[in-house]
Amino acid sequence: MSDATLHDSSQNPDDFVVQIADQVESFLVAVTEVAKGDEPESAVPFLLLEVSQLLLAGGRLGAHEDIVPEERYEPDPGPEPDVDALRENFARLLDPVDVYSEVFDPYAPRTAPVPARLSDDLADIITDLRHGMVHYRAGRTTEALWWWQFSYFSNWGPTASAVLRALQSVLIHVRLNQPLEELDGLDTDQPGLGDETLEFEAGRVMAQEIGGPLGIRPGK
């Protein structure tokens, strides 16, 4: 999407909000294209790149001083767009590696890893970013920045970081030709799964079996 359709011509492209909106819109457009599944062989590397670039915007929001909205209550942005189709497309596209384990808070003592899904996480990130984009397109730029910053701390930032680590791990296993443990039979609906349970549930799958369906070539 061009700047002409995203921004008013009077806006300064050097403005912080314009730059963040550009990065958000670029991510939304790119991952929506990936979800179509037209190029499954490049899905994981491309998602890795897009999530990395999104986290740069998140880092800028995190380092910025607290953004205070102009209104006391958030204006109603209207109904949230349905992301179920995107979620299902990602689940099919990333099926061999969709389920992964994550530790929510690395500073919490004895925190056990919990199962998560890349497809769910990507859909959640998209929902948060779209919510802010509605405010931005309506001209409520401060509200958009506040929402993107708030949700960066409360949801999409940690989620995107977890997704990035998972995608990076897939590429590391494949490129270095290392066996990759598949969370076979493990589902995100199962509570209380710690290290030992995850290890017990995991099956051994060679990198070629993961890299093949995703079109990733293992290292020599």
Side-chain angles (χ1 to χ4, degrees), residues 53-135:
Q53 292 176 335
L54 176 65
L55 282 170
L56 173 60
R60 296 181 66 193
L61 287 165
H64 198 281
E65 62 184 6
D66 287 349
I67 297 164
V68 180
E70 297 171 350
E71 301 182 31
R72 181 176 181 182
Y73 299 104
E74 181 187 6
D76 183 7
E80 297 285 357
D82 187 9
V83 295
D84 285 346
L86 281 173
R87 189 191 315 273
E88 292 169 3
N89 286 347
F90 280 127
R92 285 192 295 268
L93 187 63
L94 301 171
D95 178 60
V97 292
D98 193 25
V99 177
Y100 70 100
S101 60
E102 168 63 7
V103 174
F104 284 128
D105 188 349
Y107 284 100
R110 301 182 184 278
T111 300
V114 296
R117 288 186 180 274
L118 289 171
S119 54
D120 288 342
D121 290 347
L122 288 167
D124 287 348
I125 294 168
I126 290 169
T127 298
D128 276 348
L129 298 179
R130 282 179 173 178
H131 185 98
M133 188 58 71
V134 171
H135 288 309

Side-chain angles (χ1 to χ4, degrees), residues 133-148:
M133 188 58 71
V134 171
H135 288 309
Y136 182 82
R137 291 185 182 282
R140 299 186 293 266
T141 56
T142 303
E143 192 75 34
L145 274 181
W146 170 81
W147 172 259
W148 284 327

